Structures are given as structure tokens and as C-alpha cells.
Amino acid sequence: AQRVTQPEKLLSVFKGAPVELKCNYSYSGSPELFWYVQYSRQRLQLLLRHISRESIKGFTADLNKGETSFHLKKPFAQEEDSAMYYCASMGAQKLVFGQGTRLTINP
Amino acid sequence: SQTIHQWPATLVQPVGSPLSLECTVEGTSNPNLYWYRQAAGRGLQLLFYSVGIGQISSEVPQNLSASRPQDRQFILSSKKLLLSDSGFYLCAWSVHLTLEAFFGQGTRLTVV
């Protein structure tokens, strides 16, 4: 079964500290992987996708097929990064999300 | 440009009443369409998805059903609402080429 797991419901770090949001996936094939973000009072939106290998707002995510992980990282957190983050996988047109991690950046 | 409309934004319905939430997409053709329920602590639960007109895949057995009568219209329905159907429902569509998903504003459903 296609599944995405985010083990941390809440994560709190200080401004300027490194951030890592964990994501593990399970799928029999090779899914496409994404991170979505929801800022306060805004719609859920795409942050980055594995196939683009991009860095958005200082965030990067590396796919580790051996560990079936797609953790999201940022070396120096900023207060505006506070939001709800969802990891997602797309396999055979089915888009599945994890439980989400609420990231809070403390000043 | 592509847009997605979802309505109503809020809805209060009595137990046992029917439900119809509508989602339409503009500016694209043959999108993949999705219905999710968003709950605190449980994230985004996929309820239904559709890759074409009349093609519905159900992910969670429940009191709800979905239909896609037109290419860019996706409807979430129930014949008789239960208290447990209360929640925040999100519609989304995705682009075949980039796979990016775009979300509607959501509907807050309260069953009383």
C-alpha cells in the first residue's frame, strides 16, 4: 500500500538553527515525492518536488531510496518558516499525504 | 490561468440530511481530481480520486461517495450525514505533466 509517514506532529526550533522534517514513504513502485506547506490562513501549496531537484526558500529534500526517506532540511530557520508541512507521494495518479508536521520557529 | 473553485466555504447540516459539495476547475483539461479530509493530528486523508469522467477510486470505506459528471467537476456526496462526517474537506487537482497539485479553499462541514 502507498503510505507516507511523518513521525513528528510538532517541531519547534530557534531562529537560525537547522531544521529537519522527517518523511518516510512506502510504495511498491517508484513514487514521485513532494513537500507541501500551509502557512496560516493560506491554501496548501507546493514547496518543492523531488523531480525538480530544486531549493525553495532555502529548503532542500534528498531522496534516500535505501531508507525510503525524503527528509526536508534547511540550514538556518527563519521565523516566516513557521507553518504546517506535509510530505506527499504520487504513484499511479494517486496522491497520498503524511500526517503533517507543525513547525514553529522561535525568535 | 488555472483556478479551482470549491463551495460552500462553511456548511452546517443536521444528522441524516444529504450532502453535496462541489468542486470545479478552470483553465485545464482532463485533470486528476481529489477529495481529502483534513483533520488535526491526522493530516490529509485521501477520500476519493478520479483520473477521468466517471472514473472514481475510493480510498476509505465510509458514508460518502464521489462523482465526476464532467471533466472539470468533482462532487462529494452523502445520502445521510453522520456526526462523524464533520470535518474540513479539501478538493484538489493535479497536472499530468508536473504532478503539482492545487487545492481549493476547503469546506468546513459541521453535522449537528
Side-chain angles (χ1 to χ4, degrees):
Chain A
Q2 188 176 345
R3 186 171 295 172
V4 177
T5 303
Q6 293 177 250
E8 304 143 326
K9 289 186 179 180
L10 302 170
L11 184 62
S12 182
V13 302
F14 285 101
K15 177 182 174 181
V19 174
E20 183 178 46
L21 286 77
K22 291 184 168 54
C23 171
N24 289 90
Y25 66 92
S26 65
Y27 183 61
S28 56
S30 296
E32 295 298 339
L33 295 161
F34 308 84
W35 277 97
Y36 282 78
V37 60
Q38 188 169 27
Y39 300 104
S40 179
R41 298 188 184 86
Q42 294 187 26
R43 298 188 187 191
L44 192 62
Q45 59 187 284
L46 179 68
L47 177 62
L48 57 79
R49 70 198 104 185
H50 169 250
I51 55 175
S52 300
R53 314 238 172 198
E54 56 203 346
S55 173
I56 303 294
K57 298 184 179 181
F59 284 98
T60 59
D62 293 322
L63 175 62
N64 186 322
K65 290 187 178 180
E67 296 181 357
T68 59
S69 68
F70 190 57
H71 303 327
L72 183 69
K73 299 178 183 178
K74 184 170 182 175
F76 308 103
Q78 299 172 290
E79 288 186 65
E80 54 265 34
D81 295 329
S82 294
M84 192 75 178
Y85 290 80
Y86 292 94
C87 183
S89 84
M90 170 82 84
Q93 310 304 322
K94 178 178 166 182
L95 181 60
V96 174
F97 286 81
Q99 300 93 321
T101 298
R102 181 165 297 283
L103 175 64
T104 302
I105 308 302
N106 301 306
Chain B
S1 64
Q2 304 96 344
T3 55
I4 178 169
H5 301 283
Q6 185 182 340
W7 67 92
T10 59
L11 187 61
V12 180
Q13 292 282 100
V15 169
S17 64
L19 172 73
S20 181
L21 301 182
E22 189 161 341
C23 174
T24 59
V25 180
E26 296 177 357
T28 189
S29 59
N30 195 30
N32 292 334
L33 296 170
Y34 306 86
W35 277 111
Y36 294 91
R37 179 159 49 202
Q38 187 177 28
R42 283 187 284 177
L44 282 165
Q45 181 187 32
L46 178 62
L47 303 176
F48 302 94
Y49 69 101
S50 171
V51 298
I53 296 175
Q55 300 178 60
I56 308 295
S57 296
S58 175
E59 288 299 299
V60 182
Q62 58 206 321
N63 187 41
L64 302 169
S65 62
S67 62
R68 184 171 178 173
Q70 300 180 40
D71 181 44
R72 290 169 287 178
Q73 184 184 30
F74 204 24
I75 298 171
L76 184 68
S77 305
S78 174
K79 292 183 179 178
K80 290 185 178 181
L81 282 168
L82 305 172
L83 287 174
S84 57
D85 291 324
S86 294
F88 191 67
Y89 292 85
L90 279 168
C91 179
W93 71 277
S94 70
V95 183
H96 289 288
L97 188 60
T98 66
L99 303 181
E100 179 176 357
F102 298 89
F103 286 81
Q105 65 175 11
T107 297
R108 173 74 60 191
L109 171 66
T110 304
V111 183
V112 297

